[in-house]
Amino acid sequence: MSQGADILLGLQWGDEGKGKIVDVLTKKYDVVARFQGGPNAGHTLEFNNIKHVLHTIPSGIFHPNADNYIGNGVVIDPIIFCGEIDKLLKLEPDCLKRLQISRKAHLILPTHKLLDAASEAAKGKNKIGSTLKGIGPTYMDKTGRNGLRIGDIELADFLERYQSLKKKHLDLLNGYDFPFDLKNAEEQWMDAINRIKEMNLADTDVLIQNAFHSGKKILAEGAQGTLLDVDFGTYPFVTSSTTTAAGACTGLGLAPNRINQVIGIFKAYVTRVGSGPFPTELNDELGQFLRDQGNEYGSTTGRPRRTGWLDLPALRYAVEVNGVTQLMMMKADVLSGLGELKVCTEYKYRGEKIEHLPYSLDQELLEPVYIDMDAWKEDLTQIDSEKDLPNELKAYTKFIEKYTGVPVVLISVGPDRKQTLWRG
Ligand code: GDP
Ligand code: IMO
Ligand code: MG
């Protein structure tokens, strides 16, 4: 590994298995830093029969060797964050020592959550399917230059700043037909703010730069996925942050020329939670098979995930947007036992064959074109060497490498840390 930071991010619509892989990789790094998103994320880790879901805290937190930073690009809900800390303290009593929170990270207010819910309710059948964690309204206040930041809680006039932003939100909420009760949430929020005040609040951008200069290895952990990026995703059915590699620069204060590897992770098939186009979606028993085998229910909201075949034009688009240098394929075990295996290699768009992701993925305009691949039957979850994987899966992997032009360096065959096969 040469000097610099590596980025790990999702190449689909999120939930690719980022939490698992960051946990697996952390032993090679000195710093793990989340760069965007907030409690809309749910990153699952499994080891020693413990399953843990993180929302705001970086997935390197279980390793005593690494420092974990919550970067300026992240939005923090103090209540959810303190809830995560409480769960974590039971397993990792020292975790707060290893955690630094950017003073420039923005705060999610209880009224941001109400605005998220009111906006979604008003959209009716056109709703985004947001996680209702207040993500959109908080990033709107950030770019609208109204937001409150973690560093503000150290200021003498913090409460006035809070009241002033809350008032703006209440005025906006008046425009919706949306009843609410703020009192309880507000009390919990203030308690959590008081706890956060005692934690390590830092200029994490400077910490990252110092870490770089002292030769430390940094891993930037993405949340959501490329197809949920506010610019390059399936707008407007996206999240409100830059989920792509560029987001690691703006979300951490990491210059582009300090980035070394861009590790892109994808499921061997595709899932999506929430609304929006999904060209290779399976609305039949095969889709249900993938949901059941893959336990495809949201880590944050518990909603069933939509499922479908691997979409290679979309994957290559994500590889290009991020400059991916290494691929990791997750959940290959879930495809075991499928009677048929299809991969989308191109689209028919307005009657013409194309191999790129066009402006619109509207079902009326775009139809996926598939090829059949040989499926495999073997249970992969006990395999501990890449060499022992079925030939059909090896062929599937080679096909993906050829299509994208990027090596698949790792295949994951189960949720546990140990179910991880490096390729030689
Ligand atoms: P993230 O948001 O990208 O961190 O992914 P999530 O944690 O939301 O969703 C991934 C789910 O798949 C979690 O329940 C993981 O425990 C699980 N998982 C990760 N890798 C594998 C794998 O290779 N096989 C199986 N069967 N499950 C996996
Ligand atoms: P991780 O990091 C999957 C989806 C929501 C919705 C859209 C907008 O676990 O991969 P938001 O609450 O951000 O306004 O919702 O984005 N979404 C995710 N889907 N994984 C996630 O995070 C997601 N975070 C947001 O379902 O469609
Ligand atoms: Mg997730």
Side-chain angles (χ1 to χ4, degrees), residues 123 126-128 229-230 233-239 272 275-277:
K123 284 194 166 115
N126 295 323
K127 69 175 182 182
I128 310 289
D229 182 271
V230 67
T234 46
Y235 193 90
F237 301 100
V238 293
T239 191
R272 170 163 211 173
S275 328

Side-chain angles (χ1 to χ4, degrees), residues 14-20 42-46 51 265 267 293-296 299 305 330-334 412-415 419:
D15 301 330
E16 296 88 351
K18 299 174 290 293
K20 165 178 168 164
H43 294 182
T44 315
L45 295 81
E46 278 192 49
K51 178 174 167 172
I265 90 169
K267 281 179 187 164
Q293 293 289 112
N295 190 22
E296 295 295 357
S299 316
R305 295 179 182 142
M330 309 301 290
K331 302 190 99 160
D333 55 300
V334 174
S412 174
V413 292
Q419 293 168 303

Side-chain angles (χ1 to χ4, degrees), residues 69 126 166 201:
Y69 301 169
N126 295 323
K166 179 179 132 185
L201 310 187

Side-chain angles (χ1 to χ4, degrees), residues 25-39:
L25 295 181
T26 299
K27 56 180 184 292
K28 299 194 202 170
Y29 291 90
D30 304 299
V31 176
V32 178
R34 265 282 298 273
F35 59 86
Q36 44 67 236

Side-chain angles (χ1 to χ4, degrees), residues 330-349:
M330 309 301 290
K331 302 190 99 160
D333 55 300
V334 174
L335 296 181
S336 292
L338 270 176
E340 57 173 313
L341 182 57
K342 290 186 189 294
V343 184
C344 168
T345 52
E346 57 190 19
Y347 305 128
K348 217 163 158 191
Y349 183 65

